[in-house]
Amino acid sequence: MLARTREPGFIELFTPKLVTVFREGYGLAAFKADALAGLTVAIIALPLSMAIAIASGVSPERGLYTAIVGGFFVSALGGSRFQIGGPAGAFIVLVLATVQAHGVDGLILATFLSGLILLAIGFLRLGTFIKYVPYPVTVGFTSGIAVIILASQIKDFLGLSLIGPEPGPFVPKLQALGAALPTVSVSAVALSVLAVLTILVLRRYRPHWPGFLIAVALATLAAWLLDLPVETIGTRFGGIPQTLPLPHLPELTMEKITAVLPAALSFALLGGIESLLSAVVADSMSGRRHRSNCELVAQGTANVAAALFGGFCVTGTIARTAANIRAGARGPVSGMLHSAFLLVFMLAAAPLASFIPLAALAAILVIVAWNMAEKHQFAALLRGARGDAVVLMVTFLLVVFRDLTEGILVGFGLGALLFLHRMSQAVEVDRANAITQADRADNGEVPYAAEIATDDDIVVYRISGAFFFGAAASVAAALDRIGGQPQAYVIDIAAVSVLDSTAAATIEGFARKARGQGATVYLVGASPAIRHLLRTHGVRPPHVRFYSKLDGAIAAARREKESA
């Protein structure tokens, strides 16, 4: 009789990774590595947190409160070793709509309630299923959000003067902005272009330098030295405080709770998806494995805590998490130190923030929106299966012209129907594979060596599971956000049991893009059936090299690196 595998208990499933790291042994060398990584991420998060807050319709310090308080709890209690929490661009549309409808107090209450909802989802162990939202839906709403963010930054990017308040809906907003074009400010445009060019040049030639912070600093210095007539944080908001506020509960009345509950549900849904996607990216870059339900409990706690200190929605952030890993982080301490560094920056440099031009922050969000747009994945899905293309376009159009929540729900419904249709056509089952993988305790992980995870020239990425929804295509979106310009990508698909045509087409698109940048793609562990499907979609030598073992692919990548 076969022995039954013992299921992990409650304590094992919800033990934070911070505790796990300390149990494994945490010394001075690890602390130094985490301190350097935390400082690196804090430098990235400082201007970005303020820019996201302003775009969301609140004052810039609330973005810092969110990153400091929320980011600390995400790292301290989370189920991922490397997750960095804070305000995210994906929330801008929802947060702005909530502020316009219910005010800042309503936003804080909705954030508080979303934290409680995420806590419930985590403790009920439903997190395993949240990350399986159909990929066309995630691309559709992410691209839609990117378009709306881009439109929301036109006013400050060009320094326009509107007669009345800027409309919220997309079409009226464009009409109002078009009518205000004669008021364009040459000074604001010059600072915006300076910031954009600085970010792009540094990303091209010095990818590890803090491009956002340098761009803001240069624009601020230019505006101050030349005494340019542009709007700044000081002129619009009066600067930012040098202290954290005292924690206090939002006003909890049944009337207010009922009014903001739809927004809270939207925050919880989007926050769960974003944070788990970010955790999956961190796993794929590091070779570790997160626990989704523990991560959602941490996200819930972080949102409750952020609301108590006047912050707003907290989630895992893919770009900052990837930067954390690439900077050499050893565990959650780096994320906690990132929050501590942000607090020090706020305490020490708050008066200087008053001089920051809003045009420079708008330039940052224009770059963020461009990176969010999922352009290659959007095109790949349109070229793929007709059903995926329909789900993508319906979600995208509803998000842009109607409502984000409506777009997600309708897209998810169409995606579910499409999945049922595909499954009804399946006439052969080779082996029973679980659709989702349950959380497990800290055993059996096979992490990548530190020198692999932090190598600037070779990116190693692992995909695992059954990617029947085209979810394997997220590898391209994730790799696009990692940053830098490596010479080789090693993609480990040994644990992929199912890979559909949409995923194959997207991998082909990513390989083509990598080839254009002079990078080589190595695919490891593809089964004969998956290799045949990939070859059918153009994923073949010499543009992509197949290897059976990870060690062989890494060795080949290093040989090519040394001979270059």
CSV table of all heavy atoms in Angstrom, one decimal, residues 186-213:
chain,number,residue,atom,x,y,z
A,186,VAL,N,5.5,75.7,-23.1
A,186,VAL,CA,6.8,75.3,-23.7
A,186,VAL,C,7.7,74.8,-22.6
A,186,VAL,O,8.4,73.8,-22.8
A,186,VAL,CB,7.4,76.5,-24.5
A,186,VAL,CG1,8.8,76.1,-25.0
A,186,VAL,CG2,6.5,76.9,-25.6
A,187,SER,N,7.7,75.5,-21.4
A,187,SER,CA,8.6,75.1,-20.3
A,187,SER,C,8.2,73.7,-19.8
A,187,SER,O,9.1,72.9,-19.6
A,187,SER,CB,8.4,76.1,-19.2
A,187,SER,OG,8.9,77.4,-19.6
A,188,ALA,N,6.9,73.4,-19.7
A,188,ALA,CA,6.5,72.1,-19.2
A,188,ALA,C,6.9,71.0,-20.2
A,188,ALA,O,7.4,69.9,-19.8
A,188,ALA,CB,5.0,72.1,-18.9
A,189,VAL,N,6.6,71.3,-21.5
A,189,VAL,CA,7.0,70.3,-22.5
A,189,VAL,C,8.5,70.0,-22.5
A,189,VAL,O,8.9,68.9,-22.6
A,189,VAL,CB,6.5,70.8,-23.9
A,189,VAL,CG1,7.0,69.9,-25.0
A,189,VAL,CG2,5.0,70.9,-24.0
A,190,ALA,N,9.3,71.1,-22.4
A,190,ALA,CA,10.7,70.9,-22.4
A,190,ALA,C,11.2,70.0,-21.2
A,190,ALA,O,12.0,69.2,-21.4
A,190,ALA,CB,11.4,72.3,-22.3
A,191,LEU,N,10.6,70.3,-20.0
A,191,LEU,CA,11.0,69.4,-18.8
A,191,LEU,C,10.5,68.0,-19.0
A,191,LEU,O,11.2,67.0,-18.6
A,191,LEU,CB,10.4,70.0,-17.6
A,191,LEU,CG,11.0,71.4,-17.1
A,191,LEU,CD1,10.2,71.9,-15.9
A,191,LEU,CD2,12.4,71.2,-16.8
A,192,SER,N,9.3,67.8,-19.6
A,192,SER,CA,8.8,66.5,-19.8
A,192,SER,C,9.7,65.7,-20.8
A,192,SER,O,10.0,64.5,-20.6
A,192,SER,CB,7.4,66.5,-20.4
A,192,SER,OG,6.5,67.2,-19.5
A,193,VAL,N,10.1,66.4,-21.9
A,193,VAL,CA,10.9,65.7,-22.9
A,193,VAL,C,12.3,65.4,-22.3
A,193,VAL,O,12.9,64.3,-22.5
A,193,VAL,CB,11.0,66.6,-24.1
A,193,VAL,CG1,12.1,66.0,-25.1
A,193,VAL,CG2,9.7,66.7,-24.8
A,194,LEU,N,12.8,66.3,-21.5
A,194,LEU,CA,14.1,66.1,-20.8
A,194,LEU,C,14.0,64.9,-19.9
A,194,LEU,O,14.9,64.0,-20.0
A,194,LEU,CB,14.5,67.3,-20.0
A,194,LEU,CG,15.7,67.2,-19.1
A,194,LEU,CD1,17.0,66.9,-19.9
A,194,LEU,CD2,15.9,68.4,-18.2
A,195,ALA,N,12.9,64.7,-19.2
A,195,ALA,CA,12.8,63.6,-18.3
A,195,ALA,C,12.7,62.3,-19.1
A,195,ALA,O,13.3,61.3,-18.7
A,195,ALA,CB,11.6,63.8,-17.4
A,196,VAL,N,11.9,62.3,-20.1
A,196,VAL,CA,11.7,61.1,-20.9
A,196,VAL,C,13.0,60.7,-21.6
A,196,VAL,O,13.4,59.5,-21.5
A,196,VAL,CB,10.6,61.3,-22.0
A,196,VAL,CG1,10.6,60.2,-23.0
A,196,VAL,CG2,9.2,61.4,-21.4
A,197,LEU,N,13.7,61.6,-22.2
A,197,LEU,CA,15.0,61.3,-22.8
A,197,LEU,C,16.0,60.8,-21.8
A,197,LEU,O,16.8,59.8,-22.1
A,197,LEU,CB,15.5,62.5,-23.6
A,197,LEU,CG,14.7,63.0,-24.8
A,197,LEU,CD1,15.3,64.2,-25.4
A,197,LEU,CD2,14.7,61.9,-25.8
A,198,THR,N,16.0,61.4,-20.6
A,198,THR,CA,16.9,60.9,-19.6
A,198,THR,C,16.7,59.5,-19.2
A,198,THR,O,17.6,58.6,-19.1
A,198,THR,CB,16.8,61.8,-18.4
A,198,THR,OG1,17.1,63.1,-18.7
A,198,THR,CG2,17.8,61.3,-17.3
A,199,ILE,N,15.4,59.1,-19.0
A,199,ILE,CA,15.0,57.8,-18.7
A,199,ILE,C,15.4,56.8,-19.8
A,199,ILE,O,16.0,55.7,-19.5
A,199,ILE,CB,13.5,57.7,-18.4
A,199,ILE,CG1,13.2,58.5,-17.1
A,199,ILE,CG2,13.1,56.2,-18.2
A,199,ILE,CD1,11.7,58.7,-16.9
A,200,LEU,N,15.1,57.1,-21.0
A,200,LEU,CA,15.3,56.2,-22.1
A,200,LEU,C,16.8,56.0,-22.4
A,200,LEU,O,17.3,54.9,-22.6
A,200,LEU,CB,14.7,56.8,-23.4
A,200,LEU,CG,13.1,56.8,-23.4
A,200,LEU,CD1,12.6,57.4,-24.7
A,200,LEU,CD2,12.6,55.4,-23.1
A,201,VAL,N,17.6,57.1,-22.3
A,201,VAL,CA,19.1,57.0,-22.5
A,201,VAL,C,19.7,56.2,-21.4
A,201,VAL,O,20.5,55.3,-21.7
A,201,VAL,CB,19.7,58.4,-22.6
A,201,VAL,CG1,21.2,58.3,-22.5
A,201,VAL,CG2,19.3,59.1,-23.8
A,202,LEU,N,19.3,56.4,-20.2
A,202,LEU,CA,19.9,55.6,-19.1
A,202,LEU,C,19.4,54.2,-19.2
A,202,LEU,O,20.2,53.3,-18.9
A,202,LEU,CB,19.4,56.2,-17.7
A,202,LEU,CG,20.1,57.6,-17.3
A,202,LEU,CD1,19.5,58.1,-16.0
A,202,LEU,CD2,21.6,57.4,-17.2
A,203,ARG,N,18.2,53.9,-19.6
A,203,ARG,CA,17.7,52.5,-19.7
A,203,ARG,C,18.5,51.8,-20.8
A,203,ARG,O,18.8,50.6,-20.7
A,203,ARG,CB,16.3,52.5,-20.0
A,203,ARG,CG,15.6,51.2,-20.1
A,203,ARG,CD,14.1,51.3,-20.2
A,203,ARG,NE,13.6,51.8,-18.9
A,203,ARG,CZ,12.3,52.0,-18.7
A,203,ARG,NH1,11.4,51.7,-19.7
A,203,ARG,NH2,11.8,52.4,-17.6
A,204,ARG,N,19.0,52.6,-21.8
A,204,ARG,CA,19.7,52.0,-22.9
A,204,ARG,C,21.2,51.7,-22.6
A,204,ARG,O,21.7,50.7,-22.8
A,204,ARG,CB,19.6,52.9,-24.2
A,204,ARG,CG,20.4,52.4,-25.4
A,204,ARG,CD,19.8,51.1,-25.9
A,204,ARG,NE,20.6,50.7,-27.1
A,204,ARG,CZ,21.7,49.9,-27.1
A,204,ARG,NH1,22.2,49.5,-25.9
A,204,ARG,NH2,22.3,49.6,-28.2
A,205,TYR,N,21.8,52.7,-21.9
A,205,TYR,CA,23.2,52.6,-21.7
A,205,TYR,C,23.6,52.4,-20.3
A,205,TYR,O,24.7,51.9,-20.0
A,205,TYR,CB,23.9,53.9,-22.2
A,205,TYR,CG,23.7,54.2,-23.7
A,205,TYR,CD1,22.8,55.1,-24.2
A,205,TYR,CD2,24.5,53.5,-24.6
A,205,TYR,CE1,22.7,55.3,-25.5
A,205,TYR,CE2,24.4,53.7,-26.0
A,205,TYR,CZ,23.4,54.6,-26.4
A,205,TYR,OH,23.3,54.8,-27.8
A,206,ARG,N,22.8,52.7,-19.3
A,206,ARG,CA,23.1,52.5,-17.9
A,206,ARG,C,21.8,51.9,-17.2
A,206,ARG,O,21.2,52.6,-16.4
A,206,ARG,CB,23.6,53.8,-17.2
A,206,ARG,CG,24.9,54.3,-17.7
A,206,ARG,CD,26.0,53.4,-17.2
A,206,ARG,NE,27.3,53.9,-17.5
A,206,ARG,CZ,28.0,53.7,-18.6
A,206,ARG,NH1,27.4,53.0,-19.6
A,206,ARG,NH2,29.2,54.3,-18.9
A,207,PRO,N,21.5,50.7,-17.6
A,207,PRO,CA,20.2,50.2,-17.1
A,207,PRO,C,20.1,50.0,-15.6
A,207,PRO,O,19.0,49.9,-15.1
A,207,PRO,CB,20.0,48.8,-17.9
A,207,PRO,CG,21.4,48.4,-18.2
A,207,PRO,CD,22.1,49.7,-18.5
A,208,HIS,N,21.2,49.9,-14.9
A,208,HIS,CA,21.2,49.7,-13.5
A,208,HIS,C,21.2,51.0,-12.7
A,208,HIS,O,21.1,51.0,-11.5
A,208,HIS,CB,22.3,48.8,-13.0
A,208,HIS,CG,22.3,47.5,-13.6
A,208,HIS,ND1,21.3,46.5,-13.3
A,208,HIS,CD2,23.0,46.8,-14.6
A,208,HIS,CE1,21.5,45.4,-14.0
A,208,HIS,NE2,22.5,45.6,-14.8
A,209,TRP,N,21.2,52.1,-13.4
A,209,TRP,CA,21.2,53.4,-12.7
A,209,TRP,C,19.7,53.8,-12.4
A,209,TRP,O,18.8,53.4,-13.2
A,209,TRP,CB,21.8,54.5,-13.6
A,209,TRP,CG,23.3,54.5,-13.6
A,209,TRP,CD1,24.1,53.4,-13.3
A,209,TRP,CD2,24.2,55.5,-14.1
A,209,TRP,NE1,25.4,53.7,-13.5
A,209,TRP,CE2,25.5,55.0,-14.0
A,209,TRP,CE3,24.0,56.8,-14.5
A,209,TRP,CZ2,26.6,55.7,-14.3
A,209,TRP,CZ3,25.1,57.6,-14.8
A,209,TRP,CH2,26.4,57.0,-14.7
A,210,PRO,N,19.4,54.5,-11.4
A,210,PRO,CA,18.0,54.9,-11.1
A,210,PRO,C,17.5,56.0,-12.0
A,210,PRO,O,17.5,57.2,-11.7
A,210,PRO,CB,18.1,55.4,-9.6
A,210,PRO,CG,19.5,55.9,-9.5
A,210,PRO,CD,20.3,55.0,-10.4
A,211,GLY,N,17.0,55.5,-13.2
A,211,GLY,CA,16.6,56.5,-14.2
A,211,GLY,C,15.5,57.4,-13.8
A,211,GLY,O,15.6,58.6,-14.1
A,212,PHE,N,14.5,56.9,-13.1
A,212,PHE,CA,13.4,57.8,-12.7
A,212,PHE,C,13.9,58.9,-11.7
A,212,PHE,O,13.5,60.1,-11.9
A,212,PHE,CB,12.3,57.0,-11.9
A,212,PHE,CG,11.5,56.1,-12.8
A,212,PHE,CD1,10.7,55.1,-12.3
A,212,PHE,CD2,11.5,56.3,-14.2
A,212,PHE,CE1,9.9,54.3,-13.1
A,212,PHE,CE2,10.8,55.5,-15.1
A,212,PHE,CZ,10.0,54.5,-14.5
A,213,LEU,N,14.7,58.5,-10.8
A,213,LEU,CA,15.1,59.5,-9.8
A,213,LEU,C,16.1,60.6,-10.4
A,213,LEU,O,16.0,61.8,-10.2
A,213,LEU,CB,15.9,58.8,-8.6
A,213,LEU,CG,16.2,59.7,-7.4
A,213,LEU,CD1,15.0,60.3,-6.8
A,213,LEU,CD2,17.1,58.9,-6.4
